[in-house]
Amino acid sequence: MGKIKSLEDLKKRKQDLQKKVDLRERADHPEAYVQIKVGMATSGIASGAKEIYDFLVEALEKRNVEAVVTQAGDMGYSYAEPTIEVTKPGEEPVVFGYVTRERADEVIEKYIKRGELVDGILPQNYRTIDDE
Amino acid sequence: MHLLVCGGTGCRASASDSIAESLKEQLHHHNMDHEVQVILTGCFGFCEKGPIVKVLPDNTFYTEVKPEDASDIVAEHLVKGRQVERLLYKAPSGEQVTDSRHMDFYKKQIRIALRNCGFIDPENIDEYIARDGYLALGTVLNEMTPQQVIDQVKESGLRGRGGGGFPAGKKWEFAYKNESDQKYVVCNADEGDPGAFMDRSILEGDPHAVLEAMAICGYATGADQGLIYIRAEYPLAIKRLKIAIEQAREYGLLGQQIFDSHFNFDIQLRYGAGAFVCGEETALIHSMEGERGEPTFKPPYPAQSGYLEKPTNVNNVETYANVPVIINKGPGWFSKIGTQKATGTKVFALAGKVNNVGLIEVPMGTTLREVIFEIGGGIKGGKKFKAVQTGGPSGGCLTEEHLDTPIDFDNLLAVGSMMGSGGMIVMDEDDCMVSVAKFFLEFTVEESCGKCAPCRVGNKRMHELLERITQGKAEKKDLQRLKNMCHVIADTSLCGLGQTAPSPVLSTMENFWDEYVAHVEDQRCPAGSCKELMRYEIIPENCVGCTACARKCPVGAITGERKQVHEIDQDKCIKCGACLDACKFDAVTIK
């Protein structure tokens, strides 16, 4: 994308980008996209988040699950790294901790495909500035 | 439907495993095991009222559940759809809370500086823009004068998050008022406290927030050059900052005539070698200039004569990260959070003997008890809380009696510690406070730049004294000497490093005097952690003479005939503890 020349330009660009992000969250066809964020700050990577990230990308592709895997910063759950946040379209995000390849596999097979929760959920215990 | 059962250490200790089992049995009994799933989760953080069972999707939150309550939960709630009232959480006001999202506890953390951390992809500027990124910079450049920006920051009450707590708006104003052909904006990312990783996490998770805030600061103070001083041992943060700067330049959000205004601003990185003293702003500036990283006397302050002797504004990473939100949401919104004298939130790196080690952000004025026992989930392994160290090597140790102190700059100073940059290390009953003080002093001895004598020589001498105390070789008068040295070093050092270096010693002496005395007078370490003061002994009544310990002892210090009571030769013993592990009859003890 080119340069942002003015405040209006930025606001317009924000709206476009927001739509894209929203599309992922409230898709017209709910089976469309699952969004997975992998906590990849230094502590996450040290605990093996990179491996989980690679595994997820590969496994989702192989199993034909339409999902977007992105890296994100520190979610704050250092005691439970690696952590991943899974947002299914139209649903609240769920954070899973202590993710191994086995658990990542379980998350795909059980939570993403069949809607069953699996062990290792981390309850969210903070507000964001959007809640205020 | 889902039943979430807390599987954290606290709840597990109160039989949450068997609660889950009972729930499964009851579900089976009611033929519901296909519709309802029971899941063990991570710690809910609400250990005080554990064990916790949460029902989804209606968010019903049951507290202090016992295995025998399972039948009621299934029969009443799941079969008949009626909540089990006696198990619902009662707010301190006495009101029953049916939906966990309305509980005050879950409002204890609010993420302002960490707003995008773990939420956006830090390597993609579009995600930052979708979350109102660079909106504050655009607003400032289009609609506000520099003075108005400064007024907003002043009004918000934002204070420096690096340790000192100096009002950020005032700092900006000083730099703004000092006229010069060239000014600089510096971001202090030289985070050095042991166990602290707040700034690193922000830079790794949301680098654009810092870039945007620095540009806003540049506009407010009249600077067109930004510099981030970051330690080379943060490679991931450096990588993501570089990507972020590249992307911002590409979008024209850094560079010439930003947002079609006359404002130009660009940012460069400067690497530090990881010296603790370079977190002090004058030392940091010298290091950036290529000089030795040594502090110099203030005044002149950096706002008068900083980088290359030009007016320079230095703020810490977390301070900057708050700025875009203040502009977007208004200073009034920000100042309503926290306390009157300390507005907003503070990020803490919670570490040590606490269950939920992690990165938290709480409003100023939250108490230490809330942080350690509710958000932190209490002490690991069900042990007893002993102390919490705040403020890193410059701070102090606080005890049980300080737990209800609301955290802010002034309150922590008043009880003998400090806010610092936000490291928080929790200690339990097994930690020896003399050793803790020694550990922090060792850090400052190593990190002292050596410029002034009190810090260079004094801290070294103090460390030697502490070493002797932990070896049981000190005399009573040494304690008084130690105390005197603390005061002399604090009073005569040039910079903050030396002035605050004795704090861990002073505060542990203040709060754990008995422990010091025990080391000196009885040659005993009450926590049982000082190796030199430990004695392994055999309890004759329990010893059956199995020779297991004698065979395991690596130095042959244990003697005794088969089926006779054994003995440990204290002169040979190296205190490795192998005999303690080997004994099956509890006949070996530590004294």
Side-chain angles (χ1 to χ4, degrees), chain A residues 1-11 13-21 24-25 35 37-45 53 68-80 85 92-94 96 98 103 110-111 114-132, chain B residues 2 4 37-45 56 101 105-112 115-123 125-127 129-135 138-139 142-143 197 200-201 204-205 236 240 249-254 257-260 325 329 333 337 355-360 363 374-375:
Chain A
M1 263 193 267
K3 286 196 186 249
I4 293 175
K5 290 187 194 70
S6 64
L7 187 53
E8 278 61 49
D9 198 5
L10 177 80
K11 284 179 179 162
R13 186 106 39 125
K14 190 220 145 164
Q15 260 174 4
D16 293 346
L17 291 166
Q18 181 114 46
K19 262 183 227 152
K20 255 195 209 163
V21 175
R24 288 191 211 155
E25 280 165 16
Q35 220 187 344
K37 283 174 195 153
V38 184
M40 279 169 75
T42 297
S43 53
I45 293 174
Y53 179 87
V68 188
V69 186
T70 47
Q71 60 173 348
D74 197 316
M75 298 188 212
Y77 310 103
S78 306
Y79 62 96
E85 185 189 275
E92 294 277 306
V94 179
F96 297 92
Y98 309 102
R103 181 159 285 168
K110 288 197 180 158
Y111 179 60
R114 285 186 270 149
E116 295 171 14
L117 293 180
V118 296
D119 285 355
I121 294 169
L122 302 176
Q124 190 183 40
N125 62 355
Y126 56 82
R127 288 172 298 162
T128 63
I129 54 170
D130 306 318
D131 301 333
E132 287 295 294
Chain B
H2 290 107
L4 303 185
Q37 252 190 294
V38 180
I39 290 129
L40 272 181
T41 71
C43 181
F44 278 85
L56 286 182
R101 283 171 300 186
F105 172 71
Y106 286 101
K107 297 180 188 161
K108 286 219 164 104
Q109 285 201 64
I110 168 164
R111 295 188 140 200
I112 298 176
R115 61 191 175 280
N116 292 328
C117 253
F119 197 84
I120 63 168
D121 181 352
E123 295 181 11
I125 189 172
D126 287 347
E127 297 212 359
I129 290 174
R131 298 265 295 159
D132 283 334
Y134 291 103
L135 183 67
T139 314
N142 276 275
E143 294 162 12
F197 52 96
R200 193 194 70 206
S201 300
E204 286 176 357
L236 186 62
R240 291 195 176 149
R249 281 185 190 145
E250 208 177 293
Y251 275 27
L253 297 167
L254 287 176
Q257 299 180 343
I258 300 167
F259 284 114
D260 208 19
V325 184
K329 294 234 170 196
W333 177 87
I337 299 164
N355 277 318
N356 301 347
V357 168
L359 196 65
I360 61 165
E374 296 180 13
I375 299 169

Side-chain angles (χ1 to χ4, degrees), chain B residues 196-493:
Chain B
F197 52 96
M198 299 78 53
D199 295 344
R200 193 194 70 206
S201 300
I202 293 172
L203 292 172
E204 286 176 357
D206 194 16
H208 284 286
V210 176
L211 303 186
E212 183 183 3
M214 286 177 72
I216 293 171
C217 178
Y219 176 71
T221 57
D224 65 0
Q225 277 279 349
L227 296 154
I228 301 176
Y229 185 82
I230 183 165
R231 38 180 55 210
E233 58 252 56
Y234 280 1
L236 186 62
I238 290 173
K239 178 186 148 211
R240 291 195 176 149
L241 270 174
K242 276 185 180 164
I243 294 172
I245 292 172
E246 240 357 273
Q247 288 176 341
R249 281 185 190 145
E250 208 177 293
Y251 275 27
L253 297 167
L254 287 176
Q256 306 287 312
Q257 299 180 343
I258 300 167
F259 284 114
D260 208 19
S261 67
H262 296 295
F263 177 63
N264 309 325
F265 194 76
D266 202 15
I267 295 176
Q268 291 178 349
L269 299 184
R270 288 283 187 279
Y271 307 124
F276 184 62
V277 73
C278 289
E280 200 280 340
E281 54 185 7
T282 59
L284 180 150
I285 288 168
H286 295 313
S287 171
M288 287 201 308
E289 288 167 340
E291 304 286 321
R292 275 189 137 183
E294 286 179 343
T296 42
F297 190 73
K298 291 192 280 191
Y301 290 94
Q304 300 160 306
S305 169
Y307 183 61
L308 304 178
E309 287 166 19
K310 302 290 183 189
T312 303
N313 180 72
V314 186
N315 280 130
N316 143 284
V317 172
E318 191 188 332
T319 317
Y320 281 125
N322 279 294
V323 170
V325 184
I326 292 171
I327 304 289
N328 284 338
K329 294 234 170 196
W333 177 87
F334 189 82
S335 62
K336 258 192 252 149
I337 299 164
T339 64
Q340 208 173 1
K341 278 188 177 163
T343 56
T345 57
K346 179 77 192 84
V347 183
F348 289 100
L350 197 55
K353 307 274 179 69
V354 66
N355 277 318
N356 301 347
V357 168
L359 196 65
I360 61 165
E361 182 167 353
V362 290
M364 296 277 189
T366 308
T367 66
L368 286 165
R369 189 185 298 280
E370 288 168 319
V371 168
I372 297 166
F373 288 91
E374 296 180 13
I375 299 169
I379 308 298
K380 248 186 200 153
K383 298 225 168 166
K384 206 165 159 265
F385 168 81
K386 186 169 192 177
V388 54
Q389 160 85 18
T390 66
S394 312
C397 284
L398 302 175
T399 62
E400 184 84 37
E401 63 173 307
H402 303 118
L403 277 182
D404 292 309
T405 310
I407 304 168
D408 75 10
F409 300 97
D410 307 317
N411 285 342
L412 288 182
L413 274 180
V415 293
S417 185
M418 66 185 277
M419 177 82 91
S421 60
M424 210 181 255
I425 300 171
V426 179
M427 284 158 274
D428 70 6
E429 52 192 327
D430 294 340
D431 290 308
C432 164
M433 300 315 286
V434 185
S435 305
V436 167
K438 199 179 86 181
F439 167 79
F440 282 110
L441 205 62
E442 201 171 293
F443 181 83
T444 28
V445 166
E446 261 173 38
E447 293 293 346
S448 170
C449 74
K451 180 170 180 165
C452 63
C455 177
R456 181 185 66 235
V457 185
N459 282 326
K460 180 85 186 141
R461 290 292 94 84
M462 279 221 297
H463 184 257
E464 286 166 3
L465 265 180
L466 285 169
E467 184 83 36
R468 284 196 1 230
I469 295 174
T470 55
Q471 291 171 345
K473 292 180 189 156
E475 300 161 35
K476 187 86 202 259
K477 63 175 188 224
D478 285 338
L479 291 181
Q480 196 50 51
R481 265 168 63 203
L482 191 63
K483 218 175 216 177
N484 287 346
M485 278 167 83
C486 284
H487 292 297
V488 172
I489 294 169
D491 289 345
T492 55
S493 291

Side-chain angles (χ1 to χ4, degrees), chain B residues 5 15-25 38-40:
Chain B
V5 181
S16 67
D17 280 350
S18 45
I19 294 172
E21 279 312 308
S22 312
L23 284 170
K24 279 184 196 157
E25 272 169 39
V38 180
I39 290 129
L40 272 181

